[in-house]
Amino acid sequence: MMRPGCTLGILGGGQLGRMMAMAAAELGLRTHIYAPERDSPAFDVAAEHTVAAYEDEAALVRFAKAVDVVTYEFENVPGATAAILSAHAPLAPNAHALSVSQDRLSEKTFVSGLGIPTAPFAAVSDEAELAAALERIGRPAVLKTRRFGYDGKGQAMIRPETDPAAAFAAIGRAPAILEGFVPFEREVSVVAARTAAGAFAAYDLCANEHRHHILATTRVPAGVSQRTEEEAFAIARSIAEALDYVGVLAVELFLVTDGAKERLVVNEIAPRVHNSGHWTLGGATTSQFEQHVRAVCGWPLGATARLGRVEMQNLIGDDVEAWERLLAEPGAHLQLYGKAEARPGRKMGHVTRIFPEGE
Ligand code: AMP
């Protein structure tokens, strides 16, 4: 049983690990961050850190033995790394959740196997398979690498006029998945948590706007019907249960509308705390970071109640230069990630604004 004073091990040293470590500290836990980059933002707020590669077996074993439970802030943890860690410490979420969600083909196969709608999809490993997949799925379609895609990287749209070979070349001819284009009205996500004992709690559905393929703004409520919101919770719950999931997960969905009729289509599962859940830090009774810590420790989940109408805006690249103005803005909750250099496209911080409901 994890108790205050125990040590939480976190794989990955970015802003998610940093905010998780801060939430852990508030509950009397120590954190040990493992990351390959010397200047990892999470190191600043953790009791211990290890700088080593994710393939460094000896360092991984030392790390796992030094902590009471291991969690992670990114889904591309190599399978071998997860296996080494879980031989020496409990790993939450489990290795199966990682392997399902880090490959778009296994992810979509898993989700549709649960009877949950996804875009039509097909595996593509060469031009012949791409031609057959296009024949079946039609155009427009989206060609994506099976692995290591994020923020729109490793993706190519195939429009009526697109040369399929050029699209395949654009994603480096890597093993891929072809997906039918979903004519969505809005992108929404559900952030939820599950414990080993089976307790489940979801935050209100949020609506996400992207700029240059990177999340720019999250708004809650998402402005969907109660029925759609409940369906999103049911989808997240059935995914979490099927994975025997422990921790916070996010499910990204497309909202498709046909007149007043709403329909949800799953795009992706993130087996971790998620950018679209940052609004919970200040905007909900329990933040997603605290919720994740509670879940992986086997502690009771916190209340997910929303404290008003909430908007979260990412500060990307130069946006962060507004920090002084944002500090002066009454009611704006500013969170900066402690990154030295504001490169274009880099997430530097976020600001959350909470308004009275209905305003
Ligand atoms: P992903 O990396 O899968 O999250 O995709 C990045 C973005 O591309 C999504 O947030 C959507 O805006 C868009 N996109 C991805 N897949 C599809 C699809 N099948 N249909 C329509 N838009 C998509």
Side-chain angles (χ1 to χ4, degrees):
M1 163 80 174
M2 289 281 289
R3 305 187 148 275
C6 284
T7 302
L8 172 67
I10 303 173
L11 216 56
Q15 65 268 17
L16 302 179
R18 176 178 167 108
M19 290 185 273
M20 213 187 275
M22 291 194 283
E26 287 182 11
L27 295 176
L29 293 162
R30 304 178 79 249
T31 48
H32 184 153
I33 312 278
Y34 187 112
E37 301 85 8
R38 224 158 252 297
D39 58 349
S40 296
F43 290 169
D44 292 348
V45 300
E48 315 264 355
H49 68 259
T50 297
V51 180
Y54 294 124
E55 294 74 24
D56 183 337
E57 185 163 353
L60 289 167
V61 170
R62 265 198 311 277
F63 166 70
K65 286 184 169 168
V67 303
D68 297 287
V69 60
V70 177
T71 189
Y72 45 87
E73 57 139 37
F74 67 111
E75 59 269 47
N76 289 320
V77 175
T81 305
I84 295 165
L85 291 169
S86 53
H88 299 280
L91 178 70
N94 61 42
H96 180 51
L98 273 174
S99 71
V100 165
S101 58
Q102 63 189 207
D103 178 328
R104 293 184 193 275
L105 183 63
S106 56
E107 181 176 54
K108 290 242 158 39
T109 305
F110 164 76
V111 171
S112 64
L114 295 175
I116 297 168
T118 64
F121 64 93
V124 169
S125 54
D126 55 34
E127 269 90 358
E129 278 185 5
L130 177 54
L134 279 168
E135 190 65 37
R136 181 161 76 75
I137 289 170
R139 302 182 185 213
V142 189
L143 185 65
K144 304 178 179 177
T145 57
R146 283 174 58 172
R147 300 172 69 89
F148 303 118
Y150 69 97
D151 289 346
K153 295 192 172 63
Q155 285 196 29
M157 268 288 283
I158 302 189
R159 298 190 167 81
E161 67 282 7
T162 306
D163 171 16
F168 196 33
I171 63 158
R173 302 175 49 87
I177 177 174
L178 184 77
E179 295 179 13
F181 182 81
V182 180
F184 62 84
E185 199 263 326
R186 219 170 304 166
E187 292 188 75
V188 297
S189 60
V190 48
V191 176
R194 185 177 179 274
T195 67
F200 177 87
Y203 291 99
D204 287 355
L205 194 69
C206 46
N208 302 313
E209 267 174 39
H210 298 84
R211 224 185 319 140
H212 310 299
H213 289 289
I214 301 173
L215 181 66
T217 309
T218 298
R219 293 189 176 85
V220 217
V224 302
S225 70
Q226 196 182 335
R227 204 173 138 193
T228 299
E229 184 148 17
E230 277 162 17
E231 190 191 326
F233 296 160
I235 287 172
R237 185 167 197 151
S238 85
I239 289 172
E241 284 174 359
L243 292 171
D244 198 16
Y245 194 88
V246 173
V248 163
L249 87 165
V251 182
E252 296 181 51
L253 306 123
F254 296 129
L255 175 76
V256 182
T257 53
D258 176 12
K261 258 181 65 187
E262 296 176 338
R263 184 162 68 78
L264 291 170
V265 175
V266 168
N267 178 33
E268 264 191 321
I269 306 167
R272 53 172 171 82
V273 289
H274 193 256
N275 198 166
S276 70
H278 287 3
W279 67 270
T280 61
L281 199 56
T285 308
T286 310
S287 78
Q288 64 165 346
F289 304 101
E290 176 176 338
Q291 195 77 311
H292 184 74
V293 170
R294 286 170 174 251
V296 303
C297 288
W299 294 348
L301 294 178
T304 53
R306 185 160 50 81
L307 304 178
R309 182 175 74 74
V310 188
E311 280 186 25
M312 186 288 305
Q313 191 197 341
N314 267 343
L315 301 175
I316 296 166
D318 288 350
D319 294 349
V320 74
E321 282 167 22
W323 64 271
E324 220 171 340
R325 177 171 60 72
L326 293 167
L327 279 176
E329 181 184 321
H333 299 253
L334 179 66
Q335 189 80 215
L336 298 174
Y337 305 151
K339 297 181 185 177
E341 201 194 334
R343 290 194 291 272
R346 195 170 196 209
K347 291 173 179 168
M348 301 299 293
H350 69 264
V351 58
T352 301
R353 298 179 174 91
I354 302 157
F355 306 93
E357 201 72 64
E359 235 178 57

